[in-house]
Amino acid sequence: MEMAKYILQILRTQPIVVFSWGFHNACPIHNGIRFKVNGYLHQGNVEVRYDEGADLFVVNTLNEDGSIKQQESDVYLDCLVRVIDGMVETKLA
């Protein structure tokens, strides 16, 4: 639960970007958070998990059946919003 709150704090640093994803239904998961988006590139669930060993984040977009559609690992906290935005709304360069 604490990690979910921490991730939400990171996302709240750029509210306009997060709102552009259609961010809703956030819920805590083990070592992270899951939420729904309605972005240009991805519509559905996104999971953000903290990797304790690497001290970095892993971001997954999920298919409707819960399988991983796309994964970005080794994400630093200052890049978290940009990486999610690249997976959900805009393509990363």
Side-chain angles (χ1 to χ4, degrees):
M1 184 76 157
E2 292 301 314
M3 185 52 64
K5 289 180 184 178
Y6 178 64
I7 294 168
L8 277 175
Q9 284 181 322
I10 295 169
L11 297 179
R12 287 183 183 136
T13 63
Q14 297 183 49
I16 293 172
V17 176
V18 174
F19 288 132
S20 76
W21 307 333
F23 177 95
H24 63 286
N25 289 355
C27 65
I29 57 174
H30 177 70
N31 241 6
I33 191 167
R34 178 184 299 132
F35 52 88
K36 289 191 179 247
V37 296
N38 190 20
Y40 178 70
L41 299 175
H42 177 73
Q43 301 82 38
N45 287 312
V46 175
E47 285 184 349
V48 180
R49 292 182 187 267
Y50 176 66
D51 179 351
E52 292 180 34
D55 194 26
L56 299 170
F57 293 96
V58 176
V59 180
N60 295 318
T61 55
L62 304 176
N63 293 310
E64 287 185 24
D65 64 1
S67 62
I68 295 173
K69 177 178 178 182
Q70 182 181 3
Q71 182 176 73
E72 291 290 334
S73 55
D74 299 332
V75 178
Y76 291 92
L77 72 92
D78 59 337
C79 299
L80 188 59
V81 173
R82 182 179 59 82
V83 168
I84 296 170
D85 192 55
M87 297 170 77
V88 170
E89 193 66 27
T90 63
K91 292 188 184 208
L92 293 175

